[in-house]
Amino acid sequence: MLLHFLAALAVLTAVLGAIGFLGHAMGLVWALAEVVILVSIVAMVRSDRRPASSTHHAWLSCRKQAERFRAEALARIPAAPGIASDAARRAAILALLEDQIGYQTRAHRRWEKLHAGLERATRGTFYLVLAAAAGHLVPIGVESWRAMGNAVPHAVEAVAHFFHSPKWLIITAAGLAFAACLHGIASKLEVKRLASQAGAMAARLSTLKLELESLGPDNGRELERLAQRAADELTAEHSNWLSLVEHAELEEPA
């Protein structure tokens, strides 16, 4: 996310330098800011490519171990020597399932909320750029009207002068870069797919929970089967999640 934002910020500093924002004496400052931002992007990408310094690889490694431990613990509960009765074993399995159902449900809502927010922000930014670009047509139209020998009312002249300012490039050029930044973040994070997977996983675990709750007493074999199914579901879900994010190393934004 940070890399996409920095890339859009680099475009903004380039535009600010091109239009002489805050005076032409600031041109060198904007140019230096752009170079610093671009160098920072390269440094972050190169650092993440090295396994020894990559936070992405370290995070994935810890996540793999945690998910494997959770699945193995769930599968071993029916045969755990310290739990005397099937009822106690079922209660332990249900507690783990309820914890995972809650986690997947919260993840689904969180990813859906993030996707909706990014979509609204991207759409709003794009419409703002569209309005600014349309406004730029006003001075062009006024000049064409004047070239035809027609008089231009003072009020229209004032509006044309307002939209003729080069500062509108901050919106029409940098605005598009920030819209692309938001879209890139959503695509890089696979937000929509992660939301869908989390919701489907919560539904599957809820079905298993209902089956466990319907078991009668002294049904150890069925309890073991359902525990293994739940462990397999968790393992499969983690594999699906891993397939989405394990190759999401940092790279220079386009």
Side-chain angles (χ1 to χ4, degrees), residues 51-69:
S53 60
S54 173
T55 54
H56 180 73
H57 290 153
W59 171 59
L60 284 182
S61 178
C62 293
R63 180 68 182 266
K64 286 179 184 178
Q65 296 297 328
E67 293 297 334
R68 184 172 65 182
F69 175 80

Side-chain angles (χ1 to χ4, degrees), residues 97-112:
L97 276 182
E98 288 172 355
D99 175 72
Q100 281 301 295
I101 291 169
Y103 170 78
Q104 295 293 341
T105 300
R106 290 191 298 273
H108 172 72
R109 292 171 180 168
R110 182 175 65 251
W111 289 120
E112 285 284 3

Side-chain angles (χ1 to χ4, degrees), residues 120-250:
R120 284 195 301 269
T122 303
R123 188 185 302 115
T125 304
F126 185 82
Y127 288 157
L128 178 62
V129 172
L130 178 59
H136 189 65
L137 295 176
V138 175
I140 297 176
V142 167
E143 288 301 319
S144 299
W145 184 257
R146 182 183 288 111
M148 295 168 60
N150 299 307
V152 179
H154 179 71
V156 176
E157 189 78 47
V159 172
H161 179 74
F162 174 74
F163 282 109
H164 188 65
S165 171
K167 293 180 180 178
W168 284 101
L169 283 171
I170 297 175
I171 296 177
T172 56
L176 282 177
F178 278 98
C181 157
L182 295 171
H183 178 72
I185 289 172
S187 299
K188 187 72 173 179
L189 294 180
E190 296 276 7
V191 174
K192 191 63 178 177
R193 289 180 64 184
L194 287 172
S196 177
Q197 285 190 5
M201 183 60 177
R204 291 196 299 272
L205 292 179
S206 296
T207 300
L208 283 174
K209 178 188 172 186
L210 291 175
E211 292 186 42
L212 276 167
E213 290 174 338
S214 66
L215 285 181
D218 301 324
N219 207 334
R221 188 172 297 247
E222 186 66 14
L223 185 66
E224 183 177 351
R225 185 185 68 81
L226 289 175
Q228 186 60 54
R229 275 183 58 193
D232 291 343
E233 288 283 0
L234 291 178
T235 301
E237 170 61 18
H238 178 63
S239 297
N240 290 335
W241 172 83
L242 194 62
S243 68
L244 289 178
V245 301
E246 67 177 338
H247 300 299
E249 294 94 350
L250 295 182

